[in-house]
Amino acid sequence: MKTIAFIHSIDKISQDNWLAQFNTLLPDETIVLAEQLTDTQASQIELAIVANPSVDALKRFPNLIWVQSLWAGVEKIVDTFRLLNSEKEHPTQLVRLIDPYLAETMAEAVLTWSLYLYRNIPEYMQQQKQKVWNPIPCPNIETVQVSVLGTGELGTVSMEALVSQGFNVNSWSRGHKDIKNVTHYSEKEGLNSLLQKTDILICLLPLTDHTYKLLNKKTLGLLPKGAKVINFARGGIINHDDLINALDTGHLSHAVLDVFEKEPLTKDSPLWHHPKVSVLPHISATTNVETASKIVADNIKNFRINGAIPESVDLEKGY
C-alpha cells in the first residue's frame, strides 16, 4: 500500500466523512492525517489530499508531486503554493476539484435566483410588508439581458440553463470564447460593453489579482439604472461599499449575495438589513462528499496506473 497525506483544517465530522469515503474508494491506499506522520515520513510522501491547508503544514511535505484540493476554488492556497514552489527544483502541482454535480448545482442556483429577480420577487416581498397591492410589469423573458462573468465549467453549465429558460445570455472572460447561443465579450473593452447592456449580472469568476474588487463604483456604474446583481463567486470581487451606494442611490435595484470576504457575514454588516439585498450563507453550490470523493479517487487511481496528473492550476493566473 502507498500512503497519501490528508492535510486539512476542517472540522472533525467533515474529516471523518471524507476519510470514510476515501477508505472505501481507495482500498489500495493508506490515507493518513498529516499530524500522524513524523517529519521523516512526511518527507517521503508524494501525493496529498488537501482542504484549506496551512503553509506550515505543507512545508512538512517537501517532495509532493501533486496535491488534490477538495474544493473548486483554490484562491486561498494559490499564494501558498507560489511561495513553496519558488523554493523547489520540482514544483508541486495543485489540482482543484472539477465535479459535474457541482456545476449542475450552481446552474440550479443561478437559474433560481435569476428568475427570482426577473419576476420582481424582492419588490413583492417589500410590498407585502407594507400591505401594498401593486402588480409590477414583467418584460418578455427573451428581452432580458442576463450576463455571466466567468466561463469556466460552472459558468458554462449555468449559461446553458439560462438559455434553455429563454433569457438573452451574454458572457465575459479575459480571453475569447465561442459559446453556443451566448454573446461573448473579452478584455476590458468587452467588459464595459457587456455591463452597459446588462439587466441581471451574475458573477462566477475566480478570485485573482485581476478580479479583486473588479465590480466597483466605476464598473457598477456602467450597468443600466435598475440592473440587478448576483454574486455566487467570491466576496472579494465586489466592493460592497460601492455596491451599497449604488443600491441606496437607486442605480441598482437589488443584489443577491452568497459570498463575502469574511464568512460567516459579521453580525454588524449593513448587508443583513438592507432592503435591496438578499443574503445567503454560501449555499449556491456546495461540495458533495460522495460525488467529489469519487472524482478524487479516480484521479488518484489514474495517476497510479499511468502517471497522469489531472489538469493543474496555473499559479500565475490563479485558477
Side-chain angles (χ1 to χ4, degrees):
M1 284 191 178
K2 294 187 177 182
T3 301
I4 298 173
F6 186 15
I7 313 170
H8 71 80
S9 58
I10 57 179
D11 62 82
K12 190 176 187 304
I13 293 177
S14 297
Q15 166 197 287
D16 292 345
N17 286 340
W18 284 107
L19 284 175
Q21 292 291 326
F22 291 139
N23 287 333
T24 299
L25 294 169
L26 294 167
D28 296 328
E29 306 280 349
T30 301
I31 315 296
V32 181
L33 297 176
E35 58 270 24
Q36 296 175 338
L37 297 166
T38 66
D39 288 343
T40 299
Q41 290 172 326
S43 68
Q44 299 170 354
I45 300 293
E46 295 182 336
L47 176 58
I49 299 169
V50 303
N52 303 334
S54 68
V55 176
D56 290 339
L58 285 170
K59 281 184 176 179
R60 296 184 60 232
F61 297 83
N63 295 311
L64 289 170
I65 296 174
W66 66 281
V67 165
Q68 171 72 65
S69 173
L70 295 181
W71 314 141
V74 292
E75 72 283 346
K76 291 183 179 179
I77 56 175
V78 163
D79 285 342
T80 296
F81 276 83
R82 287 173 181 162
L83 174 63
L84 295 177
N85 283 344
S86 68
E87 304 169 356
K88 299 171 65 174
E89 181 179 356
H90 301 290
T92 300
Q93 296 190 52
L94 171 62
V95 176
R96 68 183 185 88
L97 179 69
I98 300 177
D99 186 349
Y101 178 86
L102 191 69
E104 293 168 7
T105 303
M106 178 62 82
E108 291 175 358
V110 165
L111 184 56
T112 296
W113 290 94
S114 295
L115 289 169
Y116 170 85
L117 296 178
Y118 161 61
R119 294 304 300 262
N120 303 310
I121 305 303
E123 289 82 358
Y124 285 123
M125 292 178 69
Q126 290 300 317
Q127 287 187 176
Q128 180 178 345
K129 292 179 181 178
Q130 300 165 12
K131 300 180 181 179
V132 172
W133 184 280
N134 179 39
I136 302 171
C138 186
N140 293 335
I141 197 167
E142 64 269 14
T143 68
V144 179
Q145 300 282 347
V146 179
S147 298
V148 178
L149 305 182
T151 56
E153 185 178 15
L154 299 184
T156 299
V157 178
S158 294
M159 285 186 282
E160 290 174 355
L162 291 166
V163 168
S164 68
Q165 188 64 39
F167 286 111
N168 196 323
V169 182
N170 313 286
S171 65
W172 179 84
S173 63
R174 291 178 64 190
H176 178 72
K177 294 282 185 71
D178 288 315
I179 304 173
K180 185 178 180 181
N181 298 319
V182 173
T183 303
H184 183 72
Y185 296 80
S186 60
E187 305 297 338
K188 181 179 179 180
E189 294 75 14
L191 176 62
N192 293 344
S193 298
L194 173 139
L195 292 173
Q196 293 175 50
K197 64 181 288 187
T198 297
D199 298 309
I200 299 175
L201 180 68
I202 302 169
C203 184
L204 296 177
L205 290 165
L207 179 60
T208 68
D209 294 341
H210 295 285
T211 63
Y212 181 70
K213 295 294 192 289
L214 177 68
L215 298 179
N216 51 46
K217 181 179 180 179
K218 180 178 180 181
T219 50
L220 292 173
L222 293 174
L223 291 165
K225 182 177 174 60
K228 302 170 183 181
V229 174
I230 297 173
N231 187 12
F232 287 166
R234 289 294 183 264
I237 296 173
I238 296 185
N239 184 315
H240 284 130
D241 289 339
D242 292 345
L243 174 66
I244 290 173
N245 183 66
L247 292 166
D248 287 344
T249 61
H251 182 69
L252 299 181
S253 61
H254 202 81
V256 177
L257 305 176
D258 185 48
V259 287
F260 308 89
E261 287 197 82
K262 184 175 182 180
E263 296 182 357
L265 183 62
T266 57
K267 300 290 186 182
D268 59 352
S269 172
L271 295 170
W272 282 112
H273 306 291
H274 200 290
K276 295 182 180 180
V277 175
S278 297
V279 171
L280 303 175
H282 204 143
I283 46 77
S284 55
T286 56
T287 300
N288 181 287
V289 175
E290 291 186 6
T291 59
S293 58
K294 186 177 186 308
I295 289 169
V296 171
D298 287 344
N299 286 345
I300 292 170
K301 289 176 182 177
N302 288 336
F303 174 71
R304 295 302 194 200
I305 293 170
N306 55 33
I309 299 175
E311 182 179 356
S312 58
V313 173
D314 184 327
L315 296 179
E316 291 301 315
K317 291 182 178 179
Y319 57 90

